[in-house]
Amino acid sequence: GTKLAGDTLKQYASKNDFSAAATTEKGYIAVASNKGDVRLFDRLGINAKTHIPALGDAIIGLDVSADGRYVLATCKTYLLLVDTMQTKGKNEGKLGFEKSFAKDDKPSPKRLGLTPNHVAQFQHETGVPISFTPAKFNTGKDEKETSIISATGPFIVTWNMKKVLRGTKDPYTIKRYAEEVKADNFRYGSDKNVIVALPNEVNMVAKKQFRKPTRESIMAPPATPRRSQGRIGKLRRDDIVNSPY
């Protein structure tokens, strides 16, 4: 009604154009905006402990690791992975949610995206630009985040966290569908299975079916062959498919 709880409300004098938010297990809060910046809070009702300035495009999705160590922001054509742990100064060992970074020690996000060569192949196959869905970490009770998932068009893309943090070249694998992927996420408690929502069905796929991006794995899956137009019962060898229907 007309009553507000003052200790859980934060009002801003300017228009920040917030676009996404996420929380940690302890209730720390990360908020992103269409301006491309991210704010980290340990609770509402106060100014942000850390403000990460805009580094590029609008942020359309946000996720946080359960312990608050990593913040994952999704832009249209790439992702940003932010390590919030402070490694020097008086707040060494503290998260950006808990204590402010020094002015000369702002975190430097890692940019996750596809190589220009793969972008060109993706766009050649689909005829549309890259447009990622909000990326997510795998999650589960007492589970450590080991993978990141997002989708663009008919492609699902997963990044390996260890490879990303090591700076390994092309730390991602893909799986292509015949239709546009509407939503995707890891099955709770594991990064071994992925739940996929397509326009007319929802299914689960094993992560081991994902492949490194190659010309073959990026190409559209072959359509089911049609029966030859000869006499009924006359099938060519190419007409026979392994199907339960």
Side-chain angles (χ1 to χ4, degrees):
T2 60
K3 299 183 183 297
L4 291 173
D7 61 345
T8 59
L9 171 69
K10 176 59 184 173
Q11 292 181 314
Y12 289 87
S14 59
K15 294 182 179 180
N16 291 289
D17 200 12
F18 292 134
S19 58
T23 64
T24 70
E25 281 186 345
K26 290 185 176 180
Y28 298 156
I29 304 159
V31 182
S33 78
N34 284 318
K35 297 177 181 179
D37 59 349
V38 177
R39 288 175 170 83
L40 307 180
F41 302 83
D42 63 348
R43 65 186 187 279
L44 288 179
I46 62 171
N47 289 327
K49 293 291 185 182
T50 297
H51 177 226
I52 303 171
L55 297 172
D57 302 316
I59 294 174
I60 60 175
L62 202 64
D63 198 16
V64 183
S65 61
D67 62 3
R69 175 72 185 267
Y70 296 102
V71 174
L72 180 64
T74 306
C75 299
K76 184 176 181 180
T77 59
Y78 58 89
L79 317 180
L80 294 172
L81 182 66
V82 183
D83 186 347
T84 72
M85 182 68 73
Q86 302 185 53
T87 58
K88 59 183 180 180
K90 65 178 182 179
N91 294 327
E92 182 178 353
K94 293 290 185 180
L95 299 174
F97 290 96
E98 301 168 317
K99 295 290 183 179
S100 300
F101 279 82
K103 290 183 179 180
D104 59 348
D105 188 34
K106 294 290 186 181
S108 299
K110 288 183 177 292
R111 179 170 170 146
L112 311 184
L114 307 176
T115 65
N117 182 45
H118 294 155
V119 169
Q121 292 181 55
F122 276 38
Q123 293 183 170
H124 173 75
E125 284 289 321
T126 63
V128 296
I130 299 296
S131 183
F132 283 120
T133 59
K136 300 290 183 183
F137 292 114
N138 63 296
T139 186
K141 184 175 176 59
D142 300 323
E143 286 285 327
K144 194 73 175 176
E145 292 81 6
T146 55
S147 300
I148 295 168
I149 190 168
S150 183
T152 175
F155 300 96
I156 300 180
V157 187
T158 64
W159 285 264
N160 181 295
M161 280 282 286
K162 287 184 178 179
K163 292 182 178 180
V164 167
L165 297 175
R166 286 201 306 259
T168 303
K169 183 181 179 182
D170 303 345
Y172 55 87
T173 56
I174 69 167
K175 180 171 177 58
R176 172 156 188 177
Y177 284 84
E179 300 175 286
E180 181 180 358
V181 177
K182 296 298 184 180
D184 55 275
N185 207 339
F186 291 108
R187 181 181 180 183
Y188 184 82
S190 172
D191 71 345
K192 304 302 182 186
N193 295 289
V194 175
I195 307 299
V196 185
L198 300 170
N200 298 301
E201 63 177 311
V202 177
N203 58 40
M204 185 167 66
V205 60
K207 187 180 172 184
K208 63 183 180 181
Q209 294 185 25
F210 285 64
R211 299 287 181 262
K212 290 184 177 181
T214 62
R215 184 173 179 274
E216 290 72 23
S217 63
I218 292 174
M219 289 176 61
T224 302
R226 294 181 178 180
R227 178 174 294 188
S228 68
Q229 296 181 351
R231 291 188 306 167
I232 295 176
K234 292 289 185 179
L235 294 176
R236 296 177 303 181
R237 186 180 184 85
D238 291 343
D239 291 328
I240 301 173
V241 295
N242 181 18
S243 171
Y245 302 105

